[in-house]
Amino acid sequence: MSGMLIPFSVKNCFQLLRNHKIPAAGFKNTTKGGLILQSISNDVYQNLAVEDWIHDHVNLEGKPILFFWRNSPCVVIGRHQNPWQECNLNLMREEGIKLARRRSGGGTVYHDMGNINLTFFTTKKKYDRMDNLKLIVRALNAVQPQLDVQATKRFDLLLDGQFKISGTASKIGRTTAYHHCTLLCSTDGTSLSSSLKSPYQGIKSNATTSIPSLVKNLLEKDPTLTCEVLMNAIAAEYAAYHQIDNHINLINPTDETLFPGINSKAKELQTWEWIYGKTPKFSIDTTLDVLYEQSHLEIKLFIDIKNGRIEICNIEAPDHWIPLAICDKLNSSFIGSKFCPTETTMLTNILLRTYPEDHELHSKWDILCEKIRGIM
């Protein structure tokens, strides 16, 4: 039977998948043996919230779930990663590329509408990443038998033995687990590589670091392998494997009648405190080169950052260029503030107002602050 898209709502006569934590109303399902879902949203925070909601509220005993979702351009970092180390935040701000931190571990990925995300929800006992990846490989080979795709020991999928087309991450709870992975179909390769190239120097951190890989789109290999074709093929393989109906049920991740409390989950994932504040403690120890009136100057910078906020700040400029007392004021004004360009701009502007007439100082200050913002 071919894959069918049907809207998924409370009105569909689905039996409640529930455990004691689930709200009284909501997510229902009569299918025996499992369910295939697809999000109608392209918002990364809403889609990550669906994962949280299912993980927290659904009893998956004998009823696994496969969830398809795609996002408009964004970078998603792992739970224990440092965004300054992983991506080009300045470029992303300019391009309007969102940043999200997921609740699973692993490395950083670039998402756009050409990258399919798949989440396999099971009980903890049934959690098996390799089994899921082999299912994807079977689906790809069903569509295009000539494809050489293999799962690695690191739970990546490699095309032609060298190009990474899928990376894996997972979260294991007390009784439930999920394994999610990407599948590169027609992603913007230029955006992917430029977003995932950190320009920041001198970072010292114990955060999980990503391992760069050669990547390739499946569409480059075979122009018939569109996202829709791939999702339908994987859904068919999943349905056959679990002996369930081959229906892809469309869901709206903002629907509170279906997922009570989901919007507050999405909201939390968008907060500065979650995205940046959960970064493991790190420090920046670097020298900034400044060109001022044909002369080169060196600014030494040491900053300790904990929970995304500046704990220790030591900016040293040549005394003849900016007086030590002013640098000290700048250092102390940064303590406790968020390590982000908008906050530092605001603080430096406040400090500058105490020297209203000194135009030379203002121009030096602008150069210095521009350099500091460049590392944020």
Side-chain angles (χ1 to χ4, degrees):
M1 183 189 171
S2 66
M4 282 172 57
L5 291 177
I6 60 170
F8 186 69
S9 75
V10 184
K11 286 174 190 159
N12 292 67
C13 54
F14 291 88
Q15 175 202 332
L16 197 57
L17 277 173
R18 64 150 79 205
N19 65 16
H20 67 283
K21 288 186 283 185
I22 196 169
F27 191 77
K28 310 194 173 185
N29 160 40
T30 53
T31 8
K32 288 201 171 91
L35 193 62
I36 304 168
L37 306 177
Q38 183 181 330
S39 175
I40 62 166
S41 170
N42 305 323
D43 181 283
V44 62
Y45 308 112
Q46 290 172 5
N47 288 328
L48 287 170
V50 171
E51 289 191 320
D52 284 354
W53 199 96
I54 292 174
H55 180 76
D56 292 349
H57 293 307
V58 176
N59 177 3
L60 298 155
E61 195 66 57
K63 297 182 181 202
I65 293 173
L66 170 61
F67 174 45
F68 291 110
W69 45 295
R70 288 189 290 162
N71 298 316
S72 49
C74 61
V75 168
V76 184
I77 59 173
R79 172 66 182 84
H80 309 290
Q81 289 199 294
N82 180 327
W84 291 275
Q85 217 169 4
E86 295 299 331
C87 44
N88 189 334
L89 295 171
N90 289 323
L91 176 90
M92 286 163 60
R93 286 182 201 111
E94 284 165 21
E95 302 284 327
I97 297 169
K98 292 174 181 172
L99 176 67
R101 181 186 295 274
R102 58 178 189 269
R103 295 194 188 274
S104 60
T108 298
V109 279
Y110 173 81
H111 290 186
D112 62 14
M113 291 301 288
N115 183 9
I116 304 164
N117 296 285
L118 306 98
T119 310
F120 295 86
F121 294 93
T122 58
T123 57
K124 194 173 174 178
K125 281 191 213 110
K126 294 273 185 182
Y127 167 78
D128 189 335
R129 291 169 295 177
M130 193 52 80
D131 207 33
N132 299 332
L133 293 175
K134 283 178 179 170
L135 187 149
I136 295 169
V137 172
R138 288 198 303 277
L140 292 175
N141 285 138
V143 182
Q144 176 47 275
Q146 258 65 59
L147 277 182
D148 172 16
V149 178
Q150 275 157 5
T152 70
K153 286 176 187 166
R154 289 181 41 79
F155 303 102
D156 293 333
L157 288 181
L158 289 189
L159 178 67
D160 297 331
Q162 58 173 325
F163 300 107
K164 184 170 168 176
I165 58 166
S166 176
T168 275
S170 52
K171 179 175 165 68
I172 301 171
R174 204 170 45 81
T175 55
T176 60
Y178 63 76
H179 158 218
H180 48 195
C181 59
T182 52
L183 192 58
L184 288 177
C185 172
S186 54
T187 288
D188 180 337
T190 309
S191 226
L192 180 149
S193 55
S194 58
S195 299
L196 301 186
K197 213 172 272 165
S198 168
Y200 311 112
Q201 303 290 311
I203 294 179
K204 294 193 172 92
S205 167
N206 292 324
T208 306
T209 51
S210 300
I211 297 161
S213 309
L214 277 175
V215 295
K216 193 171 200 168
N217 281 315
L218 283 162
L219 203 75
E220 292 169 48
K221 191 76 181 165
D222 179 343
T224 66
L225 298 176
T226 62
C227 287
E228 285 69 23
V229 164
L230 294 173
M231 286 190 286
N232 284 332
I234 294 163
E237 190 62 42
Y238 187 85
Y241 183 73
H242 290 284
Q243 299 180 311
I244 60 170
D245 278 350
N246 183 13
H247 284 315
I248 296 176
N249 303 282
L250 296 181
I251 57 159
N252 177 356
T254 63
D255 186 350
E256 287 275 340
T257 57
L258 198 55
F259 306 111
I262 195 165
N263 288 309
S264 67
K265 286 183 185 290
K267 219 169 187 174
E268 188 198 336
L269 291 166
Q270 287 177 67
T271 60
W272 185 92
E273 284 70 23
W274 172 255
I275 298 170
Y276 298 98
K278 290 292 179 189
T279 302
K281 186 177 174 173
F282 69 106
S283 64
I284 292 175
D285 191 354
T286 190
T287 301
L288 306 173
D289 291 314
V290 172
L291 180 64
Y292 183 74
E293 291 179 351
Q294 278 77 53
S295 61
H296 282 276
L297 302 160
E298 281 192 349
I299 312 283
K300 286 184 179 159
L301 195 68
F302 178 82
I303 303 177
D304 254 352
I305 298 123
K306 186 181 180 183
N307 302 326
R309 290 180 180 270
I310 297 170
E311 262 199 331
I312 296 169
C313 183
N314 192 10
I315 299 161
E316 284 179 27
D319 198 26
H320 65 83
W321 192 61
I322 288 183
L324 186 62
I326 294 176
C327 267
D328 286 345
K329 274 188 183 175
L330 185 63
N331 288 330
S332 56
S333 75
F334 280 173
I335 306 281
S337 71
K338 289 177 182 175
F339 185 66
C340 78
T342 44
E343 191 123 335
T344 52
T345 302
M346 184 185 73
L347 290 166
T348 51
N349 287 344
I350 290 167
L351 197 52
L352 264 185
R353 282 185 212 139
T354 58
Y355 303 93
E357 302 306 317
D358 196 334
H359 299 297
E360 190 188 346
L361 177 64
H362 278 232
S363 72
K364 291 174 180 176
W365 197 264
D366 287 341
I367 293 164
L368 175 61
C369 292
E370 190 56 40
K371 284 282 181 184
I372 294 168
R373 279 196 297 273
I375 63 159
M376 295 180 173

